[in-house]
């Protein structure tokens, strides 16, 4: 019987790679009887789905290069070229 | 000077994009600024290799990705301690949850996805920098574990699953703290 800690690890791993049949069977058994890990699985899946459904651009922070940084970069460029 | 080889124009047109991408990956403003600088210089020196087959922005982001990988390869491989997460706080000696994960709002609820995305964006910003990079490479760009290890060394390839698991655990924990689980009062 898996512990919840192990089950939580496998829940995540299953989002990244194919589990071995042994891991899959153990996880399925645990999830069937453990509501907490079932919740955890649902939530991790929802998180992954929320990211994959949006564009990559949405995950870039809403920042701009400062004017100072731009000037610094241009100065550096002129001296290096 | 042809327009296609003008770093001043690159900076004006793509500077913000490169900067935002770099911050998303390295999580630090001044490192990101340096990476943009190195990228433009490398692009200038290698401008003969730009064939025009891809968009200019794609070409520049490609160079930036190499610079970011160099940045992470200079650091020791990512290990569990770097997550700053003590799982013993959440699981007891037998590996049982000390406190059950709270339930979340009903996914069918209106605006659920928008709220989840907004809360996630906040929480991603709170991850330790290299875990932020993990999030971006795996969840946003969809790289495999093996590919991730090429972009950022992890102490052993098998460990990349463990690192990703920590990253998600932390994100979920942060969402709960940020009150995401309570935002659905109906539950
Ligand atoms: Zn469990």
């Amino acid at each position: 019987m898996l512990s919840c800690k192990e089950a939580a690890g496998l829940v995540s791993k299953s989002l990244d790679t194919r589990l071995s049949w042994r891991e899959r069977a153990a996880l399925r058994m645990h999830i069937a009887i453990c509501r907490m890990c079932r919740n955890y699985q649902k939530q991790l899946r929802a998180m992954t789905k929320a990211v994959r459904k949006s564009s990559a651009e949405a995950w870039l922070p809403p920042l701009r290069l400062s004017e100072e940084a731009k000037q610094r970069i241009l100065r550096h460029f002129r001296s290096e070229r | 000077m042809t327009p296609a080889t003008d770093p001043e124009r690159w900076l004006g047109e793509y500077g913000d994009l490169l900067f935002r991408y770099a911050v998303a990956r390295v999580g630090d403003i001044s490192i990101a600024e340096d990476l943009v600088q190195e990228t433009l210089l490398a692009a200038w020196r290698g401008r003969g290799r730009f064939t025009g087959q891809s968009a200019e922005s794609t070409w520049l982001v490609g160079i930036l990705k190499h610079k970011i990988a160099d940045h992470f390869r200079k650091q020791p491989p990512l290990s569990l301690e770097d997550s700053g997460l003590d799982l013993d706080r959440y699981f007891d000696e037998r590996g049982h949850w000390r406190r059950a994960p709270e339930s979340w709002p009903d996914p069918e609820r209106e605006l659920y996805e928008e709220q989840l995305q907004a809360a996630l964006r906040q929480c991603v910003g709170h991850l330790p920098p290299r875990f932020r990079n993990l999030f971006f490479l795996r969840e946003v760009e969809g790289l495999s574990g093996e590919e991730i290890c090429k972009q950022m060394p992890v102490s052993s390839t098998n460990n990349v699953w463990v690192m990703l698991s920590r990253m998600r655990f932390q994100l979920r924990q942060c969402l709960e703290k940020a009150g995401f689980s309570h935002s659905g009062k109906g539950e």
Side-chain angles (χ1 to χ4, degrees):
Chain A
M1 183 67 192
L2 288 181
S3 70
C4 291
K5 190 178 176 182
E6 292 166 323
L10 287 182
V11 161
S12 172
K13 189 178 174 185
S14 74
L15 298 171
D16 301 315
T17 189
R18 200 174 152 73
L19 299 182
S20 70
W21 70 265
R22 208 182 277 277
E23 289 171 321
R24 270 204 308 280
L27 181 61
R28 204 174 298 146
M29 204 140 78
H30 184 100
I31 293 287
I33 59 161
C34 178
R35 198 178 52 84
M36 294 180 279
C37 289
R38 198 153 59 235
N39 255 345
Y40 187 76
Q41 182 178 52
K42 250 195 253 162
Q43 296 171 356
L44 250 51
R45 284 178 175 168
M47 279 166 41
T48 305
K49 196 172 137 216
V51 181
R52 296 194 182 155
K53 268 176 79 175
S54 53
S55 73
E57 221 263 334
W59 298 94
L60 301 182
L63 299 171
R64 307 190 63 164
L65 205 47
S66 71
E67 227 19 75
E68 294 96 282
K70 283 187 185 172
Q71 293 311 321
R72 198 165 55 238
I73 290 170
L74 286 178
R75 269 200 309 279
H76 178 80
F77 175 74
R78 290 190 192 107
S79 68
E80 287 287 314
R81 151 178 80 173
Chain B
M1 192 187 285
T2 64
T5 54
D6 186 357
E8 259 178 73
R9 186 177 58 77
W10 290 338
L11 196 58
E13 284 181 29
Y14 312 118
D16 288 339
L17 170 72
L18 295 170
F19 177 62
R20 293 172 68 205
Y21 184 84
V23 174
R25 295 277 309 271
V26 303
D28 181 283
I29 302 281
S30 76
I31 295 173
E33 289 173 354
D34 288 348
L35 288 166
V36 172
Q37 173 171 303
E38 286 174 36
T39 297
L40 293 183
L41 199 58
W44 172 253
R45 289 179 176 151
R47 62 194 180 280
R49 287 194 292 275
F50 177 61
T51 58
Q53 278 178 334
S54 60
E56 215 176 12
S57 59
T58 310
W59 174 62
L60 290 170
V61 171
I63 297 171
L64 174 59
K65 285 180 180 175
H66 282 291
K67 298 288 169 196
I68 292 172
D70 290 343
H71 163 75
F72 284 117
R73 282 196 219 107
K74 274 185 230 148
Q75 301 175 27
L78 189 63
S79 72
L80 277 183
E81 290 76 56
D82 298 310
S83 75
L85 177 78
D86 181 11
L87 275 191
D88 292 342
R89 280 181 55 205
Y90 304 98
F91 296 101
D92 67 18
E93 317 72 50
R94 283 154 60 226
H96 288 171
W97 293 97
R98 286 188 192 277
R99 225 186 51 164
E102 286 177 28
S103 313
W104 283 8
D106 173 13
E108 299 304 318
R109 211 172 50 120
E110 223 181 325
L111 294 179
Y112 169 84
E113 202 121 83
E114 286 83 346
Q115 285 172 0
L116 178 54
Q117 284 171 4
L120 261 176
R121 262 194 287 278
Q122 291 275 318
C123 286
V124 168
H126 295 150
L127 287 174
R130 289 194 289 176
F131 281 77
R132 194 172 168 162
N133 188 42
L134 267 186
F135 169 85
F136 203 84
L137 290 178
R138 176 68 197 131
E139 310 290 37
V140 179
E141 299 198 326
L143 264 57
S144 68
E146 209 173 296
E147 288 166 332
I148 289 171
C149 293
K150 286 184 198 143
Q151 302 300 316
M152 179 172 64
V154 175
S155 53
S156 90
T157 311
N158 202 25
N159 260 343
V160 78
W161 317 127
V162 181
M163 299 299 164
L164 287 165
S165 169
R166 296 290 169 109
M167 181 271 288
R168 295 190 179 105
F169 194 95
Q170 248 168 322
L171 276 182
R172 204 211 66 86
Q173 207 58 38
C174 170
L175 289 175
E176 192 166 298
K177 252 204 223 147
F180 184 72
S181 53
H182 303 298
S183 51
K185 289 278 184 273
E187 275 234 327

